[in-house]
Every structure is written in structure tokens, then in C-alpha cells.
Amino acid sequence: MGTPAASLAKARRRFEGADWVRWGVLAVPALFAMPSARPWTWPLIALVLVLSVPALWLTRESRPRWLMPATMIAVVAAAGALWILQPGSWTATTMFGATFYTLRVSGRVGAAISLAVASATILAWSIIYDLDWLNAVAFFAVLVVMVLLAANRRSRAERLEQTELALARAQTASEEHARAAALAERARIARELHDVLAHSLAGLALNLQGARLLLVRDGASEESLAQIERAQKLATDGLAEARKAVAALREDAVPVERSVSDLLAAYRLDTGSRADLVIEGEPRELDAAVGTTLVRAVQEALANSRKHAGGPALDVTVAFNNDEVDLTIIDHQGRRPPEPPSPGYGLRGMGERVALVNGKLECGPGEDGWRIHLAVPA
């Protein structure tokens, strides 16, 4: 058995597929009228054939909405006139069929006009050709049947639309319920990670920092200090990863200033040196590529300071201006560093990242250390 959605789609295809016969109902009788057509009826035949062409693609939802009803009313009038002028043809079928489709696709005004035109045509035909009252009533009965059939089709179409809407609402509600349950579970896991793992790693990193300072004071061996430093680095790296996991689980975009602050906190724990952050302007949410560029620049600068300068004191400034964000990183080595023979891979990668977001990068030795400045569009 198929799903409700599949069954509904099949019913709609079958329902809409029947509408393709309307062109045949409108055009074929006019074609049959051509062999016996008289000179004054050819314009009406041509008009019916031309007006029946849009029925191949026009629907109730076609824009503008008046186009389909207006076309069908014109077909009713033209086919009715052709039926009166050429009574032996089948163009009455076209008139009744066009009336049926007008009642299906139009509002009250269009339906009233179509019924009035069709009724006037039947009355005129009955008077001109001296039709007895029984046959005249039969024609009007056919018109009533068209009204009932159109009402039935419109009712069925409305039921299909209501069923589709109800099914869509039920599916949306089910998806929202599942999403809410998933988000609640992710939030619970994020809380556990933050309250247990992240706090434990932060405490471990601080204790390892204290242990390293004690070993330095007591003159411990280089091997012991190296082991403590490695353990401290693992703790700080694990803390950073735990925070990233919490942010990912909560689907929250971590602000740039928060990410930079976390990096500097890890740098302080790792090196024992000062690392200050200054925020200028009003922080705001940035494009993901821009935020990633700023955070990666700070990461690269901190890695270079550890590697090449032994972890000196740092000053980092993030300035939120009107149309750009400026990032300045200065490490204080106590002397002017020499010019490097060529930029390393880290600085090259930083420059490529900045170029991808149409930013500008300046880096080089300052008075007492290395200075990196970049500006990226906000």
C-alpha cells in the first residue's frame, strides 16, 4: 500500500489529467462544423478554435485570474452564436462544455455571465427554430446538469486541496516535533559537556599550570617540565575542542570576540605570559567566512609567538568599524625582531584567507616585537 501523500498525488494527477479533454470538447465540434460552414460562420469557427487553444495550459490558478474565465465566456458566446447560425452542427457541445469549464474556474460573476449567455442562446434557438417546450426544457436540463457537474468537480478539487493542506500541516508538525526532540537532546548533551567535561578540563589546565610553576621553583628537571607542559597543552586543546563541540551541538555561532578570548586564555595557560584583548566599537554578528578568517589569524599569530619568540606578552585589538573589522596582534619580545628571509607557510595561508574575503593584511617587525594587522569587510 502507498503512503497517503503518494495516493493523494495519484488522485490529483488523475483529476488534473481529465482536464486535458476540455480542449477536445471545445475544438472538435468546431472542426466538424467546417465542411458545411457558410461564409458568415467562418469567423465564428476561427474564433472558437483560437479561443480554445489557451485551454491547453490555462488553469484555475493561472495569472491573471480573470484570463481563464474570460476566455471560456467568449467561447460560450461564440459557440452559441455558431449554433444558432449553423443549427445542424455539434457546436452546442462546445457551448455546454465551455459553460461547464467557466463554472469550474470562475467566481460568481463569471458563472452568472456564462449561465446568462448560455440561457439566452437556448432561448433564442428555441424561438428562432420554433422549438416545442419539451425540447427546450431538455436543453435547459442539460445546462442544469452542467451546473451540477461543475459544482461536484469544484467540491472535489477543494477537498483535494484541503486534504493536501492537512497532510502538509501534519508532516510539518511531525518534523517540528522530531526537530524539537533532537534539539532538546542536543542541548542536554551540550550542558553535560559544558558543566562536566569543559569545567574539568579548565580546572585540570589550571592545576597543571600551578604544578609547572612549582616545579620551576623547585628546580625540577627539564624532562619533568616537558611532561607537565605536554599535559597542560593537551588539557587546553581538549578544552577548546569541548567548547567547539558545545557550540556545534547548540547550533550557536560563537562570536569572534568570544573565540579570540578563548584562544588568549589558552595562550596564557600554556605560556604563563600576559595576553590582553581589547574590543573597540560595538560587536556584531559577522559573516562566517570573515569570522573564520579573524579567528584563524589569531591562531596562527599565537602559534608563531610560541614557536619563534618563546611565548611573549601579547596585545590583541579587535575594532568593529562601520564597514570593516580591524584585527591587530602585537607580541612584545623586548627587541625588534629581524626581518624573515621569506614568509612562512602560516603567514602565506593567512594572507590567502584574507584575500578570499577581500581584506588587507600587513605583518612585520615592530619596535619591540612582531605586529600583524588585518582589515576585513564587516
Side-chain angles (χ1 to χ4, degrees):
M1 295 180 63
T3 63
S7 300
L8 190 62
K10 184 177 180 181
R12 175 166 284 279
R13 285 194 301 271
R14 186 168 59 250
F15 181 70
E16 293 178 347
D19 290 345
W20 282 91
V21 303
R22 62 173 172 258
W23 180 82
V25 172
L26 300 179
V28 171
L31 294 175
F32 286 159
M34 293 173 67
S36 58
R38 298 171 183 176
W40 57 84
T41 61
W42 278 104
L44 290 174
I45 293 175
L47 183 61
V48 170
L49 292 175
V50 170
L51 291 176
S52 66
V53 172
L56 288 170
W57 66 83
L58 290 179
T59 64
R60 186 178 177 182
E61 289 77 22
S62 299
R63 298 303 178 100
R65 289 291 182 89
W66 55 265
L67 185 57
M68 181 64 168
T71 302
M72 291 296 100
I73 291 173
V75 172
V76 172
L82 184 60
W83 183 40
I84 292 175
L85 295 175
Q86 194 171 333
S89 67
W90 287 86
T91 48
T93 304
T94 299
M95 184 192 72
F96 286 120
T99 302
F100 167 76
Y101 291 121
T102 307
L103 295 173
R104 276 197 55 200
V105 301
S106 65
R108 293 180 179 178
V109 175
I113 294 174
S114 176
L115 287 174
V117 172
S119 299
T121 301
I122 294 173
L123 184 61
W125 202 94
S126 302
I127 295 173
I128 292 173
Y129 295 102
D130 194 22
L131 197 67
D132 62 84
W133 69 270
L134 188 60
N135 287 326
V137 169
F139 279 125
F140 279 107
V142 173
L143 189 60
V144 172
V145 171
M146 294 298 105
V147 173
L148 296 176
L149 287 175
N152 178 65
R153 292 298 295 270
R154 289 191 66 154
S155 175
R156 185 181 177 190
E158 290 173 357
R159 287 198 303 272
L160 278 174
E161 291 175 358
Q162 291 173 359
T163 304
E164 285 182 339
L165 182 60
L167 184 62
R169 287 175 175 172
Q171 185 175 358
T172 301
S174 176
E175 291 174 354
E176 289 298 326
H177 179 73
R179 177 174 172 79
L183 289 177
E185 180 63 15
R186 292 174 65 167
R188 185 190 67 79
I189 296 173
R191 286 194 300 271
E192 294 296 325
L193 281 174
H194 180 270
D195 296 342
V196 179
L197 181 59
H199 285 175
S200 298
L201 288 172
L204 176 61
L206 288 172
N207 286 333
L208 289 170
Q209 172 70 4
R212 189 175 74 86
L213 294 176
L214 289 175
L215 290 175
V216 170
R217 185 196 64 184
D218 296 339
S221 64
E222 291 293 332
E223 184 178 353
S224 299
L225 289 174
Q227 291 288 347
I228 290 293
E229 289 171 355
R230 280 195 291 271
Q232 184 183 0
K233 187 176 187 309
L234 288 174
T236 54
D237 290 346
L239 178 60
E241 293 300 324
R243 286 174 173 167
K244 290 179 183 178
V246 169
L249 285 170
R250 288 186 176 276
E251 294 185 340
D252 296 333
V254 180
V256 169
E257 61 273 15
R258 171 68 181 277
S259 299
V260 173
S261 178
D262 289 345
L263 291 173
L264 294 181
Y267 180 85
R268 286 192 293 269
L269 288 172
D270 187 27
T271 64
S273 301
R274 178 183 64 82
D276 295 333
L277 173 63
V278 176
I279 304 295
E280 297 179 356
E282 185 66 27
R284 58 184 179 274
E285 185 176 353
L286 302 175
D287 181 78
V290 172
T292 300
T293 298
L294 294 172
V295 173
R296 293 292 183 263
V298 174
Q299 285 179 325
E300 180 61 28
L302 297 182
N304 287 340
S305 294
R306 289 188 184 97
K307 180 178 179 182
H308 301 294
L314 287 172
D315 285 309
V316 178
T317 303
V318 180
F320 291 89
N321 302 316
N322 291 332
D323 56 354
E324 69 177 18
V325 179
D326 292 340
L327 172 66
T328 305
I329 306 167
I330 302 174
D331 63 6
H332 302 281
Q333 304 177 19
R335 60 181 178 81
R336 182 180 179 84
E339 290 279 358
S342 62
Y345 293 115
L347 289 179
R348 290 179 188 174
M350 187 189 303
E352 291 170 357
R353 282 183 178 275
V354 173
L356 287 175
V357 295
N358 298 320
K360 298 179 181 179
L361 173 66
E362 299 176 357
C363 57
E367 291 300 325
D368 66 338
W370 194 265
R371 181 180 183 275
I372 295 175
H373 175 77
L374 59 93
V376 293

